[in-house]
């Protein structure tokens, strides 16, 4: 594989630049530079999706949606160099940046074994940053940018404090692989297995002429060598196997968890209200736990790949990076630390805040009336129960119609008292919005266009709380051991529900559904080319692995209890009118 250089589209582009790692593996990067000689700040991405695979080819339905709904995302660029979840160099190089895309170890044109978010992969990223920081065209300041995978690995490498790292912008990228990706409330999410099959295996290094070609260079996206299927399998960590082998939050996941308190560089963390299952919690927790004194949180809505490329998204990123990579006074530090796009039924409204959760939040308990299946401001008298099939649709509790427009913005939590006829039970909690006719109104999620207001999950045997880190509005479970249920005996559960924002119109209601399986939208399923199965309300973030949920353990009957010392409630963050 040979490094080549050419001038095209007003950029000096170096293809397949070698970056040697300390163990002898040579990774490959594409470097997009201004034509004029000089020392420029660097925007870097490092990931497994193949630096040579065009957005349009690799993710056609996502591209077509973005082009139709957000035409400004395509403006100011020929779009020839657009790739999935990374910056478009044509929008950065003219403003005096060097853009570097590195194929991570074992992916695209970089040899080696894929081991997602491992210490080895993070060390590779560290060494790429340090390589870029000392190149003759570099001003010594490296910024990290990118969506999802390219956001999640920023938290990890930034926690290692590479000397030339100057700022990061993790855009919808999780920071806790156990809680935010692999196991939701201790329940296995099948996303990782299907994601690897569709988005990683297809661009693994060594597929050679069986893989795609770059529409720009004509070179093979997956390198020039052809490995056998057996060799390819040996060169990647198996997402299915690792989940089966590590069902608890053990050393494996600890290695893949960012040490956020050690992170010191400026941070712009961008989350998505619709990112239930992957693209929300980690950005909020990353913001809260980052050790940096300069940190900002932005939360938007819509598809998770679109706002990053829009005029709004690129403008936000440039104002941030101009401040910390170029040393310009852009006014960034005058910004309040939190920028919300508050969600209404038909629009988003931008609003700056100074903290998270928001000051003045009225933490409101809505109690579960099991007999009337209502959410009530007062706990019902007496004792009561309600029972449902443990792997079924569950039971819904509805609030009274809101008397006036009411904003709910922040994290939610739910306390339940649960028994089962079996030694365990999985709880799927769904918060929904209902119009005066009783019809649920859903929203565009990060991937799925029919997403409810909020979701939370908990396996009853994983109910043990971490007393040092649990907060009233964010219960945190240890996930270190299993505490089986005694059939028929209720136990207390504190369920984390991921944060949300919704302004409830007057006369509308919210509902809490306690289910025994994933939420399903009562309408037509939708498709994305990079999602294996049709999406029915949860996108690809499903909990349907039969080995993780054997019927002998989970297919009994689940009972909710209330009364005496068992007050079940939904904790709701209501924001007073200002």
């Amino acid at each position: 594989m040979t490094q080549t250089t050419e001038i095209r589209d007003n950029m000096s582009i170096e293809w397949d630049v070698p970056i040697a790692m300390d163990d002898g593996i040579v990774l490959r990067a594409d470097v997009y530079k201004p034509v004029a000689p000089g020392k420029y700040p660097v925007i870097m991405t490092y990931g497994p999706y193949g630096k040579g695979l065009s957005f349009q080819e690799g993710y056609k339905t996502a591209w077509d949606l973005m082009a139709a709904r957000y035409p400004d995302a395509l403006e100011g660029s020929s779009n020839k160099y657009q790739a999935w979840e990374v910056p478009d160099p044509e929008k950065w190089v003219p403003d005096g940046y060097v853009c570097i895309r590195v194929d991570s170890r074992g992916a695209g044109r970089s040899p080696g074994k894929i081991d997602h978010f491992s210490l080895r992969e993070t060390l590779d990223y560290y060494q790429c940053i340090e390589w870029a920081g000392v190149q003759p065209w570099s001003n010594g300041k490296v910024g990290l940018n990118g969506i999802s995978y390219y956001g999640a690995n920023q938290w990890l490498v930034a926690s290692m404090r590479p000397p030339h790292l100057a700022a990061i912008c993790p855009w919808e990228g999780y920071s806790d692989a156990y809680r935010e990706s692999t196991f939701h409330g201790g329940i296995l999410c099948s996303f990782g297995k299907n994601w690897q099959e569709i988005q990683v295996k297809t661009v693994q290094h060594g597929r050679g002429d069986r893989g795609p070609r770059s529409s720009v260079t004509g070179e093979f996206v997956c390198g020039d060598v052809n490995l056998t299927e057996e060799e390819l399998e040996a060169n990647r960590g198996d997402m299915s196997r690792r989940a089966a082998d590590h069902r608890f939050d053990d050393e494996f996941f600890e290695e893949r968890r960012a040490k956020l308190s050690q992170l010191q560089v400026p941070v712009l963390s961008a989350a998505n209200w619709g990112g239930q299952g992957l693209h929300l919690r980690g950005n909020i927790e990353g913001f809260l736990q980052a050790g940096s004194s300069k940190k900002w949180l932005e939360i938007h809505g819509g598809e998770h790949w679109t706002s990053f490329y829009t005029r709004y998204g690129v403008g936000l990123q440039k104002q941030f990076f101009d401040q910390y990579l170029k040393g310009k006074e852009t006014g960034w530090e005058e910004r309040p630390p939190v920028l919300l796009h508050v969600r209404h039924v038909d629009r988003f409204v931008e609003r700056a805040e100074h903290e998270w959760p928001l000051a003045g939040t009225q933490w409101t308990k809505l109690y579960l009336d099991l007999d009337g299946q209502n959410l009530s401001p007062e706990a019902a008298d007496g004792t009561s129960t309600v029972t449902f099939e443990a792997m079924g649709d569950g039971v819904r509790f509805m609030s009274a119609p809101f008397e006036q427009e009411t904003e709910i913005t922040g994290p939610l939590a739910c306390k339940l008292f649960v028994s089962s006829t079996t030694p365990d039970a999985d709880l799927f909690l769904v918060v929904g919005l209902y119009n005066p006719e009783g019809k649920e109104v859903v929203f565009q999620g990060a991937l799925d266009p029919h997403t409810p207001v909020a979701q939370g999950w908990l396996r009853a045997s994983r109910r043990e709380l971490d007393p040092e880190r649990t907060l009233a509005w964010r219960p945190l479970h240890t996930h270190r051991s299993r505490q089986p249920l005694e059939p028929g005996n209720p136990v207390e559960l504190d369920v984390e529900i991921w944060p949300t924002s919704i302004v409830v119109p007057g006369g509308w209601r919210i509902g809490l559904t306690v289910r025994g399986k994933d939420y399903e939208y009562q309408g037509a399923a939708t498709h994305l080319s990079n999602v294996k199965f049709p999406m029915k309300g949860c996108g690809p973030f499903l909990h349907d692995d039969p080995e993780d949920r054997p019927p002998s353990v989970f297919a009994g009957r689940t009972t909710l209890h209330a009364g005496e010392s068992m007050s079940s409630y939904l904790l709701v963050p209501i924001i007073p009118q200002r």
Side-chain angles (χ1 to χ4, degrees):
M1 196 176 298
T2 304
Q3 174 184 345
T4 59
T5 302
E6 61 178 325
I7 305 293
R8 56 189 301 169
D9 296 307
N10 298 311
M11 297 183 291
S12 174
I13 309 174
E14 299 180 25
W15 306 109
D16 288 329
V17 178
I19 307 177
M21 300 294 101
D22 60 346
D23 64 350
I25 287 287
V26 176
L27 305 182
R28 294 288 172 166
D30 292 339
V31 180
Y32 301 82
K33 301 180 298 182
V35 175
K39 291 184 177 292
Y40 300 98
V42 174
I43 299 292
M44 177 176 281
T45 58
Y46 172 103
Y49 296 147
K51 60 183 175 61
L53 181 64
S54 73
F55 193 146
Q56 298 91 320
E57 179 184 356
Y59 299 83
K60 177 174 171 44
T61 53
W63 175 266
D64 290 345
L65 281 171
M66 183 172 73
R69 298 177 183 176
Y70 304 89
D72 69 297
L74 280 62
E75 294 174 358
S77 172
S78 71
N79 297 301
K80 289 186 294 189
Y81 308 94
Q82 288 271 26
W84 180 244
E85 298 187 334
V86 297
D88 178 359
E90 287 189 277
K91 294 184 178 181
W92 290 84
V93 172
D95 282 347
Y97 284 93
V98 173
C99 281
I100 302 178
R101 294 175 179 169
V102 186
D103 275 341
S104 57
R105 181 180 294 238
R109 293 176 70 81
S110 292
K113 180 176 180 177
I114 297 173
D115 190 4
H116 301 297
F117 301 110
S118 64
L119 178 59
R120 177 66 259 176
E121 190 176 78
T122 305
L123 288 171
D124 287 349
Y125 203 174
Y126 182 111
Q127 291 173 35
C128 290
I129 292 167
E130 290 307 291
W131 172 86
V134 298
Q135 296 305 302
W137 35 257
S138 171
N139 74 349
K141 293 181 182 290
V142 179
L144 309 181
N145 201 7
I147 310 172
S148 195
Y149 198 106
Y150 299 98
N153 60 13
Q154 291 181 49
W155 297 114
L156 287 163
V157 72
S159 298
M160 297 179 71
R161 300 187 187 179
H164 288 93
L165 182 61
I168 65 171
C169 179
W171 199 279
E172 302 188 35
Y174 64 77
S175 55
D176 184 333
Y178 187 92
R179 290 168 178 81
E180 295 155 7
S181 174
T182 313
F183 290 90
H184 296 136
I187 309 170
L188 177 63
C189 178
S190 58
F191 166 73
K193 173 183 67 175
N194 297 326
W195 161 79
Q196 188 182 47
E197 181 178 330
I198 292 176
Q199 293 185 235
V200 178
K201 289 183 182 180
T202 51
V203 289
Q204 184 178 354
H205 180 78
R207 294 196 67 81
D209 58 16
R210 292 166 292 166
R213 285 185 181 268
S214 166
S215 59
V216 177
T217 67
E219 300 289 343
F220 292 119
V221 169
C222 305
D224 301 326
V225 298
N226 285 282
L227 301 180
T228 66
E229 291 300 324
E230 291 75 19
E231 289 171 321
L232 289 170
E233 183 176 3
N235 271 355
R236 62 177 180 261
D238 187 326
M239 295 292 287
S240 299
R241 189 71 263 149
R242 65 199 261 177
D245 291 344
H246 302 278
R247 295 191 178 274
F248 294 94
D249 189 7
D250 59 12
E251 294 81 3
F252 176 89
F253 284 102
E254 185 61 29
E255 178 183 299
R256 289 157 173 79
R257 181 176 298 114
K259 311 301 186 287
L260 292 167
S261 63
Q262 299 177 25
L263 194 159
Q264 295 297 315
V265 296
V267 179
L268 169 57
S269 177
N272 189 323
W273 297 122
Q276 300 158 23
L278 191 63
H279 298 114
L280 173 60
R281 183 189 189 275
N283 279 95
I284 294 174
E285 289 295 316
F287 165 77
L288 292 172
Q289 298 178 36
S292 176
S293 61
K294 298 179 183 293
K295 55 184 181 179
W296 288 264
L297 173 66
E298 187 266 5
I299 313 181
H300 53 267
E303 303 93 341
H304 92 95
W305 65 90
T306 52
S307 60
F308 179 85
Y309 295 96
T310 62
R311 190 181 304 114
Y312 162 80
V314 174
L316 195 72
Q317 297 157 38
K318 284 185 178 177
Q319 187 187 9
F320 173 72
F321 283 121
D322 281 356
Q323 180 84 38
Y324 298 112
L325 301 190
K326 292 184 175 181
K328 287 186 175 181
E329 289 299 327
T330 66
W332 181 266
E333 294 194 343
E334 299 171 11
R335 282 180 171 270
V338 177
L339 174 62
L340 304 180
H341 294 243
V342 178
R343 181 166 56 183
H344 293 246
V345 172
D346 57 352
R347 67 192 186 281
F348 291 92
V349 176
E350 286 190 32
R351 190 176 74 219
E353 297 285 352
H354 291 273
E355 64 288 298
W356 181 272
L358 307 186
T361 298
Q362 295 176 350
W363 297 104
T364 303
K365 292 180 180 178
L366 297 178
Y367 292 89
L368 277 64
D369 174 2
L370 303 189
D371 291 332
Q373 295 187 11
N374 297 317
L375 293 173
S376 172
E378 303 292 337
D381 295 330
T383 61
S384 57
T385 62
V386 62
T387 299
F388 58 90
E389 294 297 325
M391 299 181 78
D393 293 328
V395 58
R396 178 173 299 152
F397 302 89
M398 297 294 292
S399 75
F402 282 69
E403 295 181 358
Q404 60 184 9
E405 183 178 86
T406 303
E407 179 183 339
I408 297 171
T409 295
L412 302 92
C414 187
K415 185 178 289 291
L416 298 172
F417 293 84
V418 174
S419 67
S420 173
T421 58
T422 67
D424 213 339
D426 284 345
L427 284 302
F428 297 74
L429 272 58
V430 180
V431 178
L433 178 68
Y434 297 84
N435 67 19
E437 290 72 43
K439 178 178 174 57
E440 183 182 12
V441 175
V442 293
F443 298 89
Q444 173 65 57
L447 291 171
D448 198 307
H450 303 114
T451 301
V453 168
Q455 295 188 71
W457 310 262
L458 184 63
R459 176 159 290 173
S461 63
R462 303 294 188 86
R463 62 190 177 275
E464 181 183 46
L465 294 169
D466 183 332
E468 295 182 359
R469 299 176 62 195
T470 286
L471 301 165
W473 45 267
R474 200 282 323 275
L476 192 90
H477 302 88
T478 63
H479 297 297
R480 296 292 176 130
S481 62
R482 183 171 180 267
Q483 298 178 330
L485 303 181
E486 296 180 8
N489 291 338
V491 296
E492 182 177 355
L493 305 181
D494 291 281
V495 186
E496 176 184 6
I497 299 176
W498 286 20
T500 193
S501 177
I502 183 62
V503 177
V504 181
W508 291 44
R509 300 191 290 174
I510 63 169
L512 170 70
T513 305
V514 182
R515 299 170 57 87
K517 63 178 182 178
D518 283 309
Y519 169 85
E520 288 191 12
Y521 169 67
Q522 299 304 303
T526 54
H527 300 260
L528 281 175
S529 58
N530 56 305
V531 173
K532 185 173 183 179
F533 299 113
M535 299 186 296
K536 300 179 181 180
C538 292
F541 309 111
L542 301 174
H543 307 81
D544 54 1
D545 188 293
E547 293 185 12
D548 185 63
R549 305 188 70 209
S552 60
V553 179
F554 293 99
R557 290 176 64 79
T558 299
T559 299
L560 306 181
H561 298 255
E564 298 180 349
S565 60
M566 296 184 291
S567 293
S568 299
Y569 59 82
L570 174 68
L571 184 66
V572 180
I574 293 180
I575 309 303
Q577 291 186 350
R578 305 178 183 183

